[in-house]
Coordinates of all heavy atoms in Angstrom, one line a residue:
V115 N -81.4 54.3 -24.4 CA -82.0 55.0 -23.2 C -82.7 53.9 -22.3 O -83.8 53.6 -22.4 CB -83.0 56.1 -23.6 CG1 -83.5 56.8 -22.3 CG2 -82.4 57.0 -24.5
E116 N -81.8 53.3 -21.6 CA -82.3 52.2 -20.6 C -81.4 52.3 -19.4 O -80.4 52.9 -19.3 CB -82.2 50.9 -21.2 CG -81.0 50.5 -22.0 CD -81.1 49.3 -22.8 OE1 -81.0 48.1 -22.2 OE2 -81.3 49.4 -24.1
K117 N -81.9 51.6 -18.3 CA -81.4 51.7 -17.0 C -79.8 51.4 -16.9 O -79.1 52.2 -16.4 CB -82.1 50.8 -16.0 CG -81.7 50.9 -14.6 CD -82.4 50.0 -13.8 CE -82.0 50.0 -12.3 NZ -82.8 49.1 -11.5
R118 N -79.4 50.4 -17.5 CA -78.0 50.1 -17.5 C -77.0 51.2 -17.9 O -76.0 51.5 -17.3 CB -77.7 48.8 -18.2 CG -76.3 48.2 -18.1 CD -76.2 47.0 -18.9 NE -76.4 47.3 -20.4 CZ -76.0 46.5 -21.3 NH1 -75.4 45.3 -21.0 NH2 -76.1 46.8 -22.6
Y119 N -77.4 51.7 -19.1 CA -76.6 52.8 -19.8 C -76.7 54.1 -18.9 O -75.7 54.8 -18.8 CB -77.0 53.0 -21.2 CG -76.6 51.8 -22.1 CD1 -77.7 50.9 -22.4 CD2 -75.3 51.5 -22.4 CE1 -77.4 49.8 -23.1 CE2 -75.1 50.4 -23.2 CZ -76.1 49.5 -23.6 OH -75.8 48.4 -24.3
L120 N -77.9 54.3 -18.5 CA -78.1 55.5 -17.7 C -77.2 55.5 -16.4 O -76.6 56.5 -16.0 CB -79.6 55.7 -17.3 CG -79.9 57.0 -16.6 CD1 -80.5 58.0 -17.7 CD2 -80.9 56.8 -15.5
L121 N -77.2 54.4 -15.7 CA -76.5 54.3 -14.4 C -75.0 54.4 -14.7 O -74.3 54.9 -14.0 CB -76.9 53.0 -13.7 CG -78.2 53.0 -13.1 CD1 -78.5 51.6 -12.5 CD2 -78.4 54.0 -12.0
D122 N -74.5 53.8 -15.9 CA -73.1 53.8 -16.2 C -72.7 55.3 -16.5 O -71.5 55.6 -16.4 CB -72.8 53.0 -17.4 CG -72.9 51.5 -17.1 OD1 -72.8 51.1 -16.0 OD2 -72.9 50.7 -18.1
N123 N -73.6 56.2 -16.8 CA -73.2 57.5 -17.2 C -74.0 58.6 -16.3 O -74.3 59.6 -16.8 CB -73.6 57.7 -18.7 CG -72.9 56.8 -19.6 OD1 -71.7 56.9 -19.7 ND2 -73.5 55.8 -20.1
L124 N -74.3 58.2 -15.1 CA -75.1 59.1 -14.2 C -74.5 60.5 -14.0 O -75.3 61.5 -14.0 CB -75.3 58.4 -12.9 CG -76.6 58.8 -12.1 CD1 -77.8 58.7 -13.0 CD2 -76.7 58.0 -10.9
D125 N -73.2 60.6 -13.9 CA -72.5 61.9 -13.8 C -73.0 62.8 -15.0 O -73.3 64.0 -14.8 CB -71.0 61.8 -13.8 CG -70.5 61.2 -12.5 OD1 -71.3 61.1 -11.5 OD2 -69.4 60.8 -12.4
G126 N -72.9 62.3 -16.2 CA -73.2 63.0 -17.4 C -74.8 63.3 -17.4 O -75.1 64.4 -17.9
V127 N -75.6 62.4 -16.9 CA -77.1 62.7 -16.9 C -77.3 63.9 -16.0 O -78.1 64.7 -16.2 CB -77.8 61.4 -16.4 CG1 -79.3 61.7 -16.2 CG2 -77.6 60.3 -17.3
Y128 N -76.6 64.0 -14.8 CA -76.8 65.2 -14.0 C -76.3 66.4 -14.6 O -77.0 67.4 -14.5 CB -76.0 64.9 -12.6 CG -76.8 64.2 -11.6 CD1 -76.6 62.8 -11.3 CD2 -77.8 64.9 -10.8 CE1 -77.3 62.2 -10.3 CE2 -78.5 64.2 -9.8 CZ -78.3 62.9 -9.6 OH -79.0 62.3 -8.7
L129 N -75.3 66.3 -15.4 CA -74.8 67.5 -16.1 C -75.9 68.0 -17.1 O -76.1 69.2 -17.2 CB -73.5 67.2 -16.9 CG -72.2 67.3 -16.1 CD1 -71.1 66.9 -17.0 CD2 -71.9 68.7 -15.6
V130 N -76.5 67.1 -17.8 CA -77.5 67.3 -18.8 C -78.7 68.0 -18.1 O -79.2 69.1 -18.5 CB -77.9 66.0 -19.5 CG1 -79.3 66.3 -20.2 CG2 -76.9 65.5 -20.4
V131 N -79.1 67.4 -16.9 CA -80.3 68.1 -16.2 C -79.9 69.4 -15.8 O -80.7 70.5 -15.9 CB -80.7 67.2 -15.0 CG1 -81.7 67.9 -14.2 CG2 -81.2 65.8 -15.5
D132 N -78.7 69.7 -15.3 CA -78.2 71.0 -14.9 C -78.2 72.0 -16.0 O -78.3 73.2 -15.8 CB -76.9 70.9 -14.2 CG -77.1 70.2 -12.8 OD1 -78.2 70.1 -12.3 OD2 -76.0 69.9 -12.2
E133 N -77.9 71.5 -17.2 CA -77.8 72.4 -18.3 C -79.2 72.9 -18.8 O -79.4 73.9 -19.3 CB -77.0 71.8 -19.5 CG -75.5 71.8 -19.4 CD -74.9 73.2 -19.2 OE1 -75.5 74.2 -19.7 OE2 -73.9 73.3 -18.6
I134 N -80.2 72.0 -18.6 CA -81.6 72.3 -19.0 C -82.3 73.1 -18.0 O -83.0 74.1 -18.3 CB -82.3 71.0 -19.3 CG1 -81.7 70.2 -20.4 CG2 -83.8 71.3 -19.6 CD1 -82.2 68.8 -20.6
I135 N -82.1 72.8 -16.7 CA -82.8 73.5 -15.6 C -81.8 73.9 -14.5 O -81.0 73.2 -14.1 CB -83.9 72.5 -15.0 CG1 -84.8 71.9 -16.0 CG2 -84.7 73.2 -13.9 CD1 -85.4 70.7 -15.6
D136 N -82.0 75.1 -14.1 CA -81.2 75.6 -13.0 C -82.1 76.1 -11.9 O -82.8 77.3 -12.1 CB -80.2 76.7 -13.4 CG -79.3 77.2 -12.3 OD1 -79.2 76.4 -11.3 OD2 -78.7 78.2 -12.4
G137 N -82.2 75.5 -10.7 CA -83.1 76.0 -9.7 C -84.5 76.2 -10.0 O -85.3 76.9 -9.5
G138 N -85.0 75.3 -10.9 CA -86.4 75.4 -11.4 C -86.6 76.3 -12.6 O -87.8 76.3 -13.1
I139 N -85.6 77.0 -13.0 CA -85.7 77.8 -14.2 C -85.2 77.1 -15.4 O -84.1 76.5 -15.4 CB -85.0 79.2 -14.0 CG1 -85.5 79.9 -12.8 CG2 -85.0 80.0 -15.3 CD1 -84.7 81.1 -12.4
I140 N -86.0 77.1 -16.5 CA -85.6 76.5 -17.7 C -84.6 77.3 -18.4 O -84.8 78.5 -18.8 CB -86.8 76.3 -18.7 CG1 -87.9 75.5 -18.0 CG2 -86.4 75.6 -20.0 CD1 -89.3 75.5 -18.7
L141 N -83.4 76.7 -18.6 CA -82.3 77.4 -19.3 C -82.2 77.1 -20.8 O -81.9 77.9 -21.6 CB -81.0 77.1 -18.6 CG -80.7 77.5 -17.2 CD1 -79.4 77.0 -16.7 CD2 -80.9 79.0 -17.0
E142 N -82.5 75.9 -21.1 CA -82.3 75.4 -22.5 C -83.3 74.4 -22.9 O -83.7 73.6 -22.1 CB -80.9 74.8 -22.6 CG -80.5 74.5 -24.0 CD -80.5 75.7 -25.0 OE1 -79.7 76.6 -24.8 OE2 -81.4 75.7 -25.8
S143 N -83.8 74.5 -24.1 CA -84.8 73.5 -24.5 C -84.3 72.8 -25.9 O -85.1 72.0 -26.4 CB -86.2 74.1 -24.7 OG -86.1 75.1 -25.7
D144 N -83.2 73.1 -26.4 CA -82.7 72.6 -27.6 C -81.6 71.5 -27.2 O -80.6 71.8 -26.8 CB -82.0 73.6 -28.5 CG -81.5 73.1 -29.8 OD1 -81.6 71.9 -30.1 OD2 -80.8 73.9 -30.4
P145 N -81.9 70.2 -27.6 CA -80.9 69.2 -27.3 C -79.5 69.4 -27.8 O -78.5 69.0 -27.2 CB -81.6 67.9 -27.9 CG -83.0 68.2 -27.9 CD -83.1 69.7 -28.2
Q146 N -79.4 69.9 -29.0 CA -78.1 70.2 -29.6 C -77.3 71.2 -28.8 O -76.1 71.0 -28.6 CB -78.3 70.7 -31.1 CG -78.9 69.7 -32.0 CD -78.1 68.3 -32.0 OE1 -76.9 68.2 -31.9 NE2 -78.9 67.2 -31.9
Q147 N -77.9 72.2 -28.3 CA -77.3 73.2 -27.5 C -76.8 72.5 -26.1 O -75.7 72.8 -25.7 CB -78.2 74.4 -27.1 CG -78.5 75.3 -28.4 CD -77.3 76.0 -28.8 OE1 -76.5 76.5 -28.1 NE2 -77.1 76.0 -30.2
V148 N -77.7 71.7 -25.6 CA -77.3 71.0 -24.3 C -76.1 70.2 -24.5 O -75.2 70.2 -23.7 CB -78.5 70.2 -23.7 CG1 -78.1 69.4 -22.5 CG2 -79.7 71.1 -23.4
I149 N -76.2 69.4 -25.6 CA -75.0 68.4 -25.9 C -73.7 69.3 -26.1 O -72.6 68.9 -25.6 CB -75.3 67.6 -27.2 CG1 -76.3 66.6 -26.8 CG2 -74.1 66.9 -27.7 CD1 -77.0 65.9 -28.0
Q150 N -73.8 70.4 -26.8 CA -72.7 71.2 -27.0 C -72.1 71.8 -25.7 O -70.9 71.8 -25.4 CB -73.1 72.4 -27.9 CG -72.0 73.0 -28.7 CD -72.5 74.0 -29.7 OE1 -73.6 74.5 -29.6 NE2 -71.7 74.2 -30.8
K151 N -73.0 72.2 -24.8 CA -72.6 72.8 -23.5 C -72.0 71.7 -22.6 O -71.0 72.0 -21.9 CB -73.8 73.5 -22.8 CG -74.2 74.8 -23.5 CD -75.3 75.4 -22.8 CE -75.8 76.7 -23.6 NZ -77.0 77.2 -23.0
V152 N -72.6 70.5 -22.6 CA -72.0 69.4 -21.7 C -70.8 69.0 -22.3 O -69.8 68.8 -21.4 CB -73.1 68.3 -21.7 CG1 -72.5 67.1 -21.1 CG2 -74.4 68.7 -20.9
N153 N -70.6 68.8 -23.5 CA -69.2 68.4 -24.1 C -68.3 69.5 -23.8 O -67.1 69.2 -23.4 CB -69.3 68.3 -25.6 CG -69.9 66.9 -26.0 OD1 -69.6 65.9 -25.3 ND2 -70.6 66.8 -27.1
Y154 N -68.6 70.8 -23.8 CA -67.7 71.8 -23.5 C -67.3 71.7 -22.0 O -66.1 71.9 -21.6 CB -68.3 73.2 -23.8 CG -67.5 74.3 -23.3 CD1 -66.3 74.7 -24.0 CD2 -67.8 75.0 -22.1 CE1 -65.5 75.7 -23.6 CE2 -67.0 76.0 -21.7 CZ -65.9 76.4 -22.4 OH -65.0 77.4 -21.9
R155 N -68.3 71.5 -21.2 CA -68.0 71.4 -19.7 C -67.1 70.3 -19.4 O -66.2 70.4 -18.6 CB -69.3 71.4 -18.9 CG -69.9 72.7 -18.8 CD -71.3 72.6 -18.1 NE -71.1 72.2 -16.7 CZ -72.0 72.2 -15.7 NH1 -73.3 72.5 -16.2 NH2 -71.8 71.9 -14.5
T156 N -67.3 69.1 -20.0 CA -66.5 67.9 -19.7 C -65.0 68.1 -20.2 O -64.1 67.6 -19.6 CB -67.1 66.7 -20.3 OG1 -67.2 66.7 -21.7 CG2 -68.4 66.4 -19.7
V157 N -64.8 68.9 -21.2 CA -63.5 69.2 -21.7 C -62.8 70.2 -20.9 O -61.7 70.2 -20.6 CB -63.5 69.5 -23.2 CG1 -62.2 70.1 -23.7 CG2 -64.0 68.4 -24.1
S158 N -63.6 71.3 -20.6 CA -63.0 72.5 -20.0 C -62.9 72.4 -18.4 O -62.3 73.2 -17.8 CB -63.8 73.8 -20.4 OG -65.1 73.7 -19.8
E159 N -63.6 71.4 -17.9 CA -63.6 71.3 -16.4 C -63.1 69.9 -16.0 O -63.9 69.0 -15.7 CB -64.9 71.5 -15.8 CG -65.4 73.0 -16.1 CD -66.8 73.3 -15.5 OE1 -67.2 72.6 -14.6 OE2 -67.5 74.2 -16.0
P160 N -61.8 69.7 -16.0 CA -61.3 68.4 -15.7 C -61.6 67.9 -14.3 O -61.5 66.8 -13.9 CB -59.8 68.5 -15.9 CG -59.5 69.9 -15.9 CD -60.8 70.6 -16.3
A161 N -62.0 68.7 -13.4 CA -62.4 68.4 -12.0 C -63.5 67.4 -12.0 O -63.7 66.6 -11.1 CB -62.8 69.7 -11.3
Y162 N -64.3 67.3 -13.1 CA -65.4 66.3 -13.1 C -64.8 64.9 -13.2 O -65.5 63.9 -12.9 CB -66.3 66.5 -14.3 CG -67.4 67.6 -14.0 CD1 -67.2 68.9 -14.4 CD2 -68.4 67.3 -13.1 CE1 -68.1 69.9 -14.1 CE2 -69.3 68.3 -12.7 CZ -69.1 69.6 -13.3 OH -70.0 70.6 -12.9
G163 N -63.5 64.8 -13.7 CA -62.8 63.5 -13.7 C -63.4 62.4 -14.6 O -63.1 61.3 -14.3
F164 N -64.1 62.7 -15.6 CA -64.5 61.8 -16.5 C -64.5 62.2 -18.0 O -64.6 63.3 -18.2 CB -65.8 61.1 -16.2 CG -66.9 62.1 -16.3 CD1 -67.6 62.4 -17.4 CD2 -67.3 62.8 -15.1 CE1 -68.7 63.3 -17.4 CE2 -68.3 63.7 -15.1 CZ -69.0 64.0 -16.3
V165 N -64.2 61.3 -18.9 CA -64.2 61.6 -20.3 C -65.4 60.9 -20.9 O -65.4 60.3 -21.9 CB -62.9 61.2 -21.0 CG1 -61.7 62.1 -20.6 CG2 -62.6 59.8 -20.6
L166 N -66.5 60.9 -20.2 CA -67.8 60.2 -20.5 C -68.2 60.4 -21.9 O -68.3 59.5 -22.7 CB -68.9 60.7 -19.5 CG -70.3 60.3 -19.9 CD1 -70.5 58.9 -19.7 CD2 -71.2 61.1 -19.1
F167 N -68.3 61.7 -22.4 CA -68.9 61.9 -23.7 C -67.9 61.7 -24.7 O -68.3 61.3 -25.8 CB -69.5 63.3 -23.7 CG -70.6 63.5 -22.7 CD1 -70.4 64.1 -21.5 CD2 -71.9 63.0 -23.0 CE1 -71.4 64.2 -20.5 CE2 -72.8 63.1 -22.0 CZ -72.7 63.7 -20.9
D168 N -66.6 61.8 -24.5 CA -65.6 61.5 -25.5 C -65.7 59.9 -25.8 O -65.7 59.5 -26.9 CB -64.3 61.8 -25.1 CG -63.9 63.4 -25.1 OD1 -64.8 64.0 -25.8 OD2 -63.0 63.8 -24.5
Y169 N -65.9 59.2 -24.7 CA -65.9 57.7 -24.8 C -67.2 57.4 -25.6 O -67.2 56.5 -26.5 CB -66.0 57.0 -23.4 CG -66.3 55.6 -23.5 CD1 -65.3 54.7 -23.9 CD2 -67.5 55.1 -23.1 CE1 -65.6 53.4 -23.9 CE2 -67.8 53.8 -23.1 CZ -66.8 52.9 -23.6 OH -67.1 51.5 -23.6
I170 N -68.3 57.9 -25.2 CA -69.6 57.6 -25.8 C -69.7 58.0 -27.3 O -70.1 57.3 -28.1 CB -70.8 58.3 -25.1 CG1 -71.0 57.6 -23.7 CG2 -72.1 58.1 -25.8 CD1 -71.9 58.3 -22.8
T171 N -69.1 59.2 -27.6 CA -69.2 59.6 -29.0 C -68.0 59.2 -29.7 O -67.9 59.4 -31.0 CB -69.2 61.2 -29.0 OG1 -68.1 61.7 -28.3 CG2 -70.5 61.8 -28.4
G172 N -67.1 58.4 -29.1 CA -65.9 57.9 -29.9 C -64.9 59.0 -30.2 O -64.0 58.8 -31.1
N173 N -65.0 60.1 -29.6 CA -64.1 61.2 -29.9 C -62.7 61.0 -29.1 O -62.7 61.0 -27.9 CB -64.7 62.5 -29.4 CG -63.8 63.8 -29.6 OD1 -62.8 63.6 -30.2 ND2 -64.3 64.9 -29.0
T174 N -61.7 60.8 -29.8 CA -60.4 60.5 -29.2 C -59.5 61.7 -29.4 O -58.3 61.7 -29.1 CB -59.7 59.2 -29.9 OG1 -59.6 59.4 -31.2 CG2 -60.5 58.0 -29.5
E175 N -60.1 62.8 -30.0 CA -59.3 64.0 -30.2 C -58.8 64.5 -28.8 O -59.5 64.5 -27.8 CB -60.2 65.0 -30.8 CG -59.5 66.2 -31.4 CD -60.5 67.2 -32.0 OE1 -61.2 66.8 -33.0 OE2 -60.8 68.2 -31.5
G176 N -57.5 64.9 -28.8 CA -57.0 65.5 -27.6 C -56.3 64.4 -26.8 O -55.5 64.7 -25.9
Q177 N -56.6 63.1 -26.9 CA -55.9 62.1 -26.2 C -54.5 61.7 -26.8 O -53.6 61.5 -26.1 CB -56.8 60.9 -26.1 CG -58.1 61.1 -25.3 CD -59.0 59.9 -25.4 OE1 -58.7 58.9 -25.9 NE2 -60.1 60.0 -24.7
G178 N -54.5 61.8 -28.1 CA -53.2 61.6 -28.8 C -52.6 60.2 -28.7 O -53.1 59.4 -27.9
D179 N -51.7 60.0 -29.5 CA -51.0 58.6 -29.5 C -49.8 58.8 -28.5 O -48.8 59.5 -28.9 CB -50.6 58.2 -30.9 CG -50.1 56.8 -31.0 OD1 -50.0 56.2 -29.9 OD2 -49.6 56.4 -32.0

Side-chain angles (χ1 to χ4, degrees):
V115 185
E116 51 192 278
K117 183 178 178 178
R118 183 178 69 160
Y119 296 103
L120 186 100
L121 289 175
D122 287 346
N123 300 293
L124 204 51
D125 289 345
V127 175
Y128 273 100
L129 278 176
V130 166
V131 171
D132 289 345
E133 284 299 334
I134 298 171
I135 307 155
D136 183 20
I139 298 172
I140 300 168
L141 298 179
E142 187 59 67
S143 62
D144 178 5
Q146 295 308 316
Q147 290 295 318
V148 174
I149 289 169
Q150 204 169 24
K151 288 176 183 175
V152 168
N153 277 327
Y154 174 75
R155 283 177 66 175
T156 57
V157 170
S158 67
E159 298 180 24
Y162 281 102
F164 61 87
V165 288
L166 165 75
F167 295 101
D168 287 342
Y169 172 75
I170 291 172
T171 59
N173 180 9
T174 56
E175 192 175 294
Q177 294 175 1
D179 185 4

